[in-house]
Amino acid sequence: SLLLTNTGSMEGSFVLVCDSLPEQLRVAPMEGRLNPGRSVEIKLELLCKVKGSFKEVLSICSEHASAETHAVTVSGVIQSRKLELMDSELSAPLQCVAFGSTYYGTVLTKKVVLYNNSPALTEFIAIFDEKALGTIQGADMSESLAMACTAGGLGQTKWKEQGNAPPTD
């Protein structure tokens, strides 16, 4: 917002002029009257519906021909929010986390980085697709995979008793 103040000794009117005010930018009020020593808040509201950039000059004109015109530049860039999963070593975007081949009963760990490639703070939640290929129903995802395996998770209730518990080192 902008604060417009009448520093004169008489009541005065003002008009805001912009050659091509973009439709996503709303300014109010565009005109009005001010008593001496009084102020009015000019609100600028940006509706971020279309990606792109803009730069406009907003002129503040007074009713008096002798008064100078003040110009304020209003600009911005509207971008999409974008979270990217990155390879922790190569710093390259990932489409898939490939574990490759391993032996039954072992635990593999892959480190990745969730990168906020947005102009502002972005909140997120992670959702694991429980119906995806390779998932086991009833797995407690609040602990690490190694903890779930050794504590009888992943649907295996008696691994230690059966003698085929995963290695603990």
Side-chain angles (χ1 to χ4, degrees), residues 134-148:
T135 59
I136 300 174
Q137 297 298 319
D140 181 3
M141 298 304 284
S142 64
E143 298 181 19
S144 71
L145 183 59
M147 286 297 293

Side-chain angles (χ1 to χ4, degrees), residues 30-102:
M30 290 293 286
E31 58 186 56
R33 297 192 67 75
L34 278 174
N35 290 326
R38 304 299 277 175
S39 299
V40 65
E41 182 180 25
I42 308 294
K43 292 185 181 182
L44 296 108
E45 185 177 80
L46 181 62
L47 305 172
C48 303
K49 292 184 177 181
V50 179
K51 291 187 286 185
S53 62
F54 65 93
K55 183 176 183 179
E56 301 296 333
V57 176
L58 191 61
S59 298
I60 305 168
C61 304
S62 172
E63 70 180 336
H64 300 291
S66 61
E68 62 183 76
T69 300
H70 297 279
V72 176
T73 301
V74 181
S75 63
V77 177
I78 303 168
Q79 298 176 326
S80 296
R81 292 181 181 163
K82 187 174 182 183
L83 292 175
E84 295 179 322
L85 196 60
M86 308 285 280
D87 184 300
S88 63
E89 295 174 6
L90 303 176
S91 296
L94 289 174
Q95 298 301 318
C96 175
V97 179
F99 283 94
S101 299
T102 188

Side-chain angles (χ1 to χ4, degrees), residues 127-141:
I127 300 174
F128 293 95
D129 185 358
E130 293 181 5
K131 295 180 177 88
L133 184 63
T135 59
I136 300 174
Q137 297 298 319
D140 181 3
M141 298 304 284

